[in-house]
């Protein structure tokens, strides 16, 4: 009890008599008085609540933690009561007669605190208690810090009380809802996504307090990851409070509230303030953790100061062991507080960032589902993906950087304040260079930020072009434009590389500045101390100053970086604000869509005027009056660009309306002109989120002529469709779209030219079986160029220049004449030749009628039958790849020598830094050495070391740049040289991820990671050696601690590596799904599927977030444990310095040893973090290398086998026993085709959809090489020459017309080979001259992404313009006129006949008139050559071709006979 008697020596009646607020006695008395005031209010509140007998008075059950803290408080109160009782009995000294009273009061305070923890009857009593506990903790902390600062010691009993105050503060936060598992009512916990409740939820929800404090709740996942390689299914789901849906709802609640409050003049960023409102509460807690950590870090130099002073006092025999042990005790407390607070600050800030990120990603996705047409033009699919992938994703780190910014500022102020307290006015001169270094950082950060901004702009431009090129790779290979586009990408990368180089070199200067500034500042501070004599230049002063400057170094470096990040975040907030405030589809303004069939008319438009672009002078659709009754079949026809598709968009409400009203009753199904297919299975695309109804599903497949295709797919209807349907033929994609619409069982069907991509026979089947039979009770609006179907519909709308010029049934319109008659005449002329050539054959075929469905669909999908799914799961390495990938990185970039220079530079730096510290430690013990020499030598050595840091950083930058160049060039070359099969089976997102995020990691992260791992590892070894030199027994703890750290790191890395790899495969689907939705948003809205798509997106975001969340937790788990192990070493070192015999260690060496010891934990954590980062970053090298070692196409040019420059002079093509398969061991797609295309002949290739027509073209262009047989062109085997020599001599108009972003000129002549006059001549021939002449910029007029500002028909005409310029001997037309009307088609066929009269023209066509006048016709079926003969001869026999013609003629004959009868009348 004698020890405890000392505690209250100061608490005598003197305090009350001679009150001095600066004395500890008076301050303790004041704190007691404040506590008594709170106690009075508490007990009064309790009495009032008991008197009211409120029904809410039942005290809820307390957590074990509250009970435990209450017991501790009770024990403290018993100790005080005991001391008070002893003093009351003793009464030995009058001066202490009130001591017993002070102890009794303090005992009563602790008793009341114990009671308050157990009894909290009402909410406002909880709040009162929380405020009381928080105030008590703050006051006790202030007093204890002051005692420590003035006395350099603190009693153990005071430390115990202080710790209890912190536990009370924690209880206060729990009272306010923090650190508490949120129990969700059962009614609210039902699944949001129509799935079973996920029982495998993250362990955080079930964790107790201790488990949360130490992150032990993730042990089960780490244990599983250590025992086996983790897969996605092993990752637990998020807590409901972290899920995207809840975050989005909270965000939107705040957003809508702010939008309502916003005035027209208010320009504040609504996204920012919505985020603030939503996440303020959780960030107050994060701020508390950050504040604790800042205080703990700031006091560490004071502990060092106390140690050195204790050492000096002990040498003078003025101290005892108890004082030394109390300093060690405070060191332990500060390290525990620093470690726990920093870990929880980092964890909770990233958790908050995760919630922000998910909410904003979902908000942007939701917004794109609502954007109006004009807004969608302002935000392309690529930009929307950028908003999600860059701007919203950036929010994951935003809270962390925000708290870094203000805590760094606070740490700076505290450190300067403490420095002033230790050194006095001597610190003032040092503030000048500190301020200069700090101010230099701002322009430096601004320059670096500018470099990064320019780099990002350049990177965006490169990625946009790369995305466009990858999506159009087939046409690039067909035209042999690889070199042109590869150069384009390389030139864009060169621009990007300029800014990358500048940024990396600037970082090298930054490193030099970072290491130079502490040297300059410390030297000036020491000089100030010597000049002003404000503090002695002894070990205590010197090493405290150095420790404090180390503390200053972090905020000085971090503040500019944090401000830079804040600026980037501000830009992201502005960008997100722009899209979230942009125009949405307005269904209220006279554009009503009612799902009930309440009206007489299914569709009704009155006096409708519509315009796509508000700035346009004339409306897109004018004076539109339309009434379509239930069950009517309406056809819309007209020339290219007449506004047919716009009419459907008007019905859907997609075109902005200027005036008039639109009423649509019932549900809608929409089939777009350009097929929109989702990545997934055929079944997924047809069901489109609807539940499976087997009968309806099979019927939809049958009427859309898909049954035989699905039978022949290797996986049936579970066959994976590649991105954007890349592994399906055009006809298959269109029929899948149609089946989706039929299965949807809507009331109204809007079909935008669905037959253009299929052959004539399949078109007839689709029209009769699907449109006229399956949809007989439905309302159908059909846009079509197929005139042969018009006689069957109820009403025909003829459009021209945005107006409905004629409407009525077929007979009425023929008599009316003009536009409709022109369309029919063009069609009739095309089939007249058929009639003349096949008068007899037709009648013969008519008796046989149509082919049966089974016959018609006996074909195969050329691309689908591959034995394995075409689009495979993304490949990823499993397990530890060791250091092989790291050495691959070094050797691939030939950077071994640079790595050696980096290590040499770092070794020299550490050697000089250590020398400067040893100089200070030893020189201060030598009286002969003056202050000037001491400071001068120290400054000289330190300045030299900073020079080596610059060398190290410079070589690091160059190593990174060299590696980036090597990997980028190899990657780009590999991609452009990859065969077409690679692009068919690899989603574009998968390639883009490597070209963007993985390459960025190579650009910025890997070189510095390697340097940090190597240099800091060296630094740690030196630190332990210095500690061992001073007190060698520390090795007994240090070595096991290092070994344990390595083991813990290995245990963690097994799981972290797989988490990182899985995360690499979960981010791309989030972006792909957003891009996919953006492209098909009209279809999604038309089918009213926005909610289902939204839910699917929530699942993807949560899956990606779960990986991010668990990766962060795992990192904090690791760091906490390594900190604990290294703190053990530090504490052991400090303890050894206390207990070694007097005189064994000088105060200088004590300061040296402790200054290194205090940096050990930070260095170890820094090394661990960067080592783990490096192992994660190396995965990007692994991923890029996968695509560097791709299969390669045959060479572009074979110098020894180059054909003559005039080749092919004739254009003769010989196919000899040609067999094609897409992969080894896959089934044959073309089976032994032998025939000859004579020079100058016109050959028509026909066959059902998927019969192998496109594969034949692919073989001709060597997109796929023959498995057997060969192709000769003018006697030269095409496999014996280079690809470029072959493809440059062939011309093609592909099935899917492709334009690139740029101008009309660059699209027609990408290689710049032709003059303007030649281009205009080509445009005139392909019917585009008049349209382009009206544009203000003529040939320099813009073409948007994928030619989106030109109609599909116009895009096909551009492709015709390209071949007219090239004028090669061989021309291939692959469904070249499928998307244009019959009249334009007839004109173009005439132009092709005239312009390519001496050329070999191979025409793959669906329209029989297109091939009927060919010299020869090739009929393919099942990949076999069925017939190859002149069409006139085939018409005379019972051939497959004559049947095709008969089918086509039968469907057209009614129209022509009707026309004749009208003319006779």
């Amino acid at each position: 009890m004698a020890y405890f008697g000392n505690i209250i020596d100061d608490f005598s009646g003197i305090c009350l008599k001679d009150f001095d607020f600066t004395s500890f006695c008076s301050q303790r008395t004041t704190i007691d008085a404040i506590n008594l005031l709170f106690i009075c209010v508490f007990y009064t509140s309790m009495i009032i609540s008991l008197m009211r007998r409120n029904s809410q008075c039942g005290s809820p059950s307390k957590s074990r933690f509250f009970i435990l803290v209450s017991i501790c408080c009770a024990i403290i109160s018993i100790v005080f009561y005991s001391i008070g009782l002893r003093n009351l009995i003793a009464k030995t000294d009058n001066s202490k007669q009130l001591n017993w009273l002070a102890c009794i009061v303090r005992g009563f305070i602790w008793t009341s605190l114990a009671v308050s923890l157990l009894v909290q009857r009402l909410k406002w009593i909880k709040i009162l208690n929380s405020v009381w506990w928080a105030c008590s903790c703050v006051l006790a902390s202030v007093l204890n810090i002051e005692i420590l600062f003035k006395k350099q010691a603190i009693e153990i009993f005071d430390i115990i009380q202080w710790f209890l105050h912190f536990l009370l503060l924690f209880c206060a936060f729990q009272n306010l809802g923090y650190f508490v598992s949120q129990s969700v009512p059962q009614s609210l916990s039902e699944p949001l996504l129509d799935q079973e409740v996920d029982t495998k939820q993250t362990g955080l929800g079930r964790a107790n307090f201790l488990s949360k404090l130490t992150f032990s709740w993730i042990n089960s996942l780490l244990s599983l990851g250590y025992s086996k390689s983790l897969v996605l299914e092993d990752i637990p789901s998020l807590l409901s409070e972290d899920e995207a849906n809840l975050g989005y709802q909270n965000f939107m609640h705040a957003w809508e509230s702010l939008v309502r409050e916003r005035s027209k003049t208010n320009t504040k960023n609504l996204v920012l303030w919505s985020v603030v409102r939503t996440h303020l509460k959780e960030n107050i807690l994060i701020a508390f953790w950050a504040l604790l950590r800042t205080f703990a870090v700031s006091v560490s130099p004071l502990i060092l100061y106390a140690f050195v002073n204790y050492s000096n006092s002990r040498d003078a025999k003025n101290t005892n062991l108890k004082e030394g042990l109390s300093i060690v005790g405070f060191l332990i407390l500060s390290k525990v507080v620093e470690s726990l607070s920093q870990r929880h600050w980092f964890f909770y800030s990233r958790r908050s960032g995760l919630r922000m990120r998910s909410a904003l990603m979902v908000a942007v996705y939701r917004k794109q589902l609502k954007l109006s047409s004009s807004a969608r033009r302002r935000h392309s699919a690529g930009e929307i993906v950028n908003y999600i992938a860059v701007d919203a994703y950036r929010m994951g780190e935003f809270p962390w950087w925000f708290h870094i910014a203000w805590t760094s500022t606070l740490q700076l102020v505290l450190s300067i304040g403490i420095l002033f307290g230790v050194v006095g006015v001597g610190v003032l001169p040092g503030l000048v260079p500190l301020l200069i270094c700090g101010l230099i950082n701002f322009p430096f950060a601004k320059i670096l930020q500018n470099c990064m901004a320019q780099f990002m702009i350049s990177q965006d431009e490169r990625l946009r072009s790369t995305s466009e090129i990858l999506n159009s790779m087939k046409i690039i290979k067909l035209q042999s434009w690889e070199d042109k586009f590869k150069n384009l990408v390389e030139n864009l990368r060169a621009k990007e590389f300029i800014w990358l180089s500048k940024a990396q070199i600037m970082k090298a200067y930054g490193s030099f500045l970072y290491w130079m500034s502490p040297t300059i500042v410390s030297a000036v501070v020491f000089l100030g101390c010597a000049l002003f004599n404000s503090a002695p230049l002894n070990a205590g002063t010197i090493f405290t100053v150095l420790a404090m400057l180390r503390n200053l170094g972090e905020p000085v470096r971090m503040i500019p970086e944090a401000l830079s990040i804040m600026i980037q975040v501000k830009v992201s907030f502005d960008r997100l604000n722009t899209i979230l405030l942009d125009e949405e589809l307005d269904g209220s303004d006279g554009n009503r869509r009612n799902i009930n069939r309440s009206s007489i008319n299914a569709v009704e438009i009155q006096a409708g005027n519509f315009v796509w672009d508000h700035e346009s002078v004339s409306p897109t659709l004018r004076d539109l009056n339309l009434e379509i009754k239930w069950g009517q079949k309406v056809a819309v026809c007209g020339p290219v660009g007449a506004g047919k598709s716009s009419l459907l968009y008007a019905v859907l409400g997609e075109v902005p309306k200027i005036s008039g009203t639109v009423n649509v009753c019932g549900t809608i199904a929409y089939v777009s002109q350009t097929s929109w297919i989702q990545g997934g299975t055929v079944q997924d695309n047809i069901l489109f989120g609807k539940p499976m109804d087997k009968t309806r599903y099979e019927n939809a497949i049958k009427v859309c002529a898909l049954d035989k295709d699905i039978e022949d797919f290797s996986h049936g209807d579970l066959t994976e469709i590649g991105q954007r349907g890349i592994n399906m033929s055009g006809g298959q994609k269109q029929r899948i779209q149609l089946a989706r619409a039929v299965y949807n069982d809507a009331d109204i069907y809007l079909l935008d030219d669905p037959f253009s991509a299929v052959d004539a026979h399949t078109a007839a089947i689709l029209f009769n079986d699907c449109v006229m039979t399956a949809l007989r009770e439905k309302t159908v609006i059909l846009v079509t160029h197929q005139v042969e179907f018009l006689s069957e519909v109820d009403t025909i709308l003829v459009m021209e220049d945005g107006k409905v010029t004629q409407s009525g049934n077929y007979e009425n319109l023929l008599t009316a004449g003009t536009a409709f008659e022109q369309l029919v005449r063009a069609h009739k002329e095309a089939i007249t030749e058929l009639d003349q050539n096949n008068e007899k054959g037709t009648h013969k075929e008519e008796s046989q009628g149509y082919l049966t469905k089974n016959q018609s669909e006996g074909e195969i999908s050329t691309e689908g039958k591959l034995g394995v799914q075409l689009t495979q799961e993304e490949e990823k390495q499993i397990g530890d790849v060791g250091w092989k990938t790291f050495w691959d990185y070094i050797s691939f970039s030939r950077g071994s020598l640079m790595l050696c220079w980096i290590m040499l530079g770092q070794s020299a730096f550490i050697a000089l830094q250590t020398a400067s510290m040893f100089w200070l430690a030893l020189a201060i013990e030598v009286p002969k050495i003056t202050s000037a020499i001491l400071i001068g030598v120290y400054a000289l050595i330190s300045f030299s070391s900073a020079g080596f840091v610059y060398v190290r950083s410079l070589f690091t930058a160059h190593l990174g740049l060299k590696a980036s160049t090597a990997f980028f060039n190899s990657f780009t070359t590999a991609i452009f040289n990859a065969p077409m099969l690679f692009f068919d089976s690899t989603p574009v997102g998968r390639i883009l991820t490597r070209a963007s995020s993985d390459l960025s990691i190579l650009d910025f992260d890997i070189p510095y990671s390697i340097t940090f791992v190597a240099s800091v590892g060296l630094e740690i070894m030196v630190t332990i050696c210095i500690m061992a030199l001073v007190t060698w027994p520390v090795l007994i703890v240090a070595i096991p601690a290092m070994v344990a750290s390595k083991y813990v790191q290995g245990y963690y890395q097994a799981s972290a590596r797989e988490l990182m790899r899985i995360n690499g495969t979960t981010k791309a689907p989030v972006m792909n799904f957003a891009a996919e939705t953006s492209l098909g948003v009209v279809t999604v809205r038309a089918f009213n599927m926005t909610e289902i798509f939204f839910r699917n997106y929530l699942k993807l975001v949560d899956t990606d977030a779960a990986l991010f969340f668990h990766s962060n937790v795992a990192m904090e788990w690791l760091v906490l444990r390594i900190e604990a192990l290294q703190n053990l070493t530090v504490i052991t070192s400090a303890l050894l310095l206390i207990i070694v015999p007097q005189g064994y260690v000088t105060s200088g060496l004590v300061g040296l040893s402790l200054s290194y010891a205090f940096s050990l934990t930070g260095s170890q954590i820094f090394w661990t973090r960067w080592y783990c980062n490096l192992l994660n970053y190396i995965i990007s090298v692994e991923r890029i290398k996968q695509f560097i070692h791709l299969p390669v196409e045959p060479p572009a040019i074979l110098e020894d086998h180059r054909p003559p420059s005039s080749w092919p002079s004739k254009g003769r093509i010989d196919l000899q026993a040609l067999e094609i398969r897409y992969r080894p061991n896959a089934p044959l797609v073309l089976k032994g085709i032998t025939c000859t295309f004579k020079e100058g002949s016109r050959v028509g290739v026909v066959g059902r959809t998927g019969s192998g027509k496109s594969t034949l073209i692919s073989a001709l262009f060597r997109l796929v090489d023959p498995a057997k047989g060969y192709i000769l062109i003018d006697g030269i085997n095409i496999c014996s020459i280079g690809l470029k020599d072959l493809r440059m001599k062939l011309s093609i108009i592909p099935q899917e017309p492709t334009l690139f972003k740029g101008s009309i000129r660059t699209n027609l002549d990408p290689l710049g080979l032709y003059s303007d006059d030649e281009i205009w001549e080509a445009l005139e021939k392909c019917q585009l001259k008049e349209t382009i002449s009206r544009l203000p910029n003529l040939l320099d007029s813009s073409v948007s992404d994928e030619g989106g500002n030109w109609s599909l028909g116009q895009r096909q005409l551009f492709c015709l313009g390209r071949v007219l310029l090239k004028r090669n001997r061989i021309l291939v037309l692959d469904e070249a006129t499928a998307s244009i009307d019959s009249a334009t088609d007839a004109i173009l066929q005439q132009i092709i006949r005239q312009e390519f009269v001496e050329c070999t023209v191979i025409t793959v066509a669906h329209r029989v008139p297109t091939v009927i006048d060919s010299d020869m016709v090739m009929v393919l079926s099942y990949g076999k050559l069925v017939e190859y003969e002149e069409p006139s001869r085939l018409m005379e026999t019972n051939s497959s071709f004559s049947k095709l013609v008969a089918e086509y003629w039968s469907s057209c004959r009614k129209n022509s006979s009707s026309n004749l009868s009208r003319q006779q009348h």
Side-chain angles (χ1 to χ4, degrees), residues 1311-1330:
L1311 306 180
L1313 302 175
Y1314 305 101
S1315 67
D1316 281 11
D1317 290 340
E1318 289 172 304
I1319 293 172
W1320 278 114
E1321 187 182 345
L1323 287 171
E1324 186 174 11
K1325 288 173 182 173
C1326 65
Q1327 311 293 298
L1328 281 171
K1329 184 177 181 180
E1330 187 181 344

Side-chain angles (χ1 to χ4, degrees), residues 18 83 129 139 203 286 310 440 476 637 769 784 807 813 846 910 918 991 997 1174 1190 1326 1428 1449:
D18 305 314
I83 298 168
N129 287 348
L139 292 169
I286 297 166
Y310 171 80
I440 287 171
I476 289 171
C637 58
D769 290 7
T784 185
S807 68
L813 290 181
E846 275 177 15
I910 291 173
F918 262 105
I991 305 171
S997 54
L1174 177 59
L1190 293 172
C1326 65
Y1428 183 62
W1449 173 240

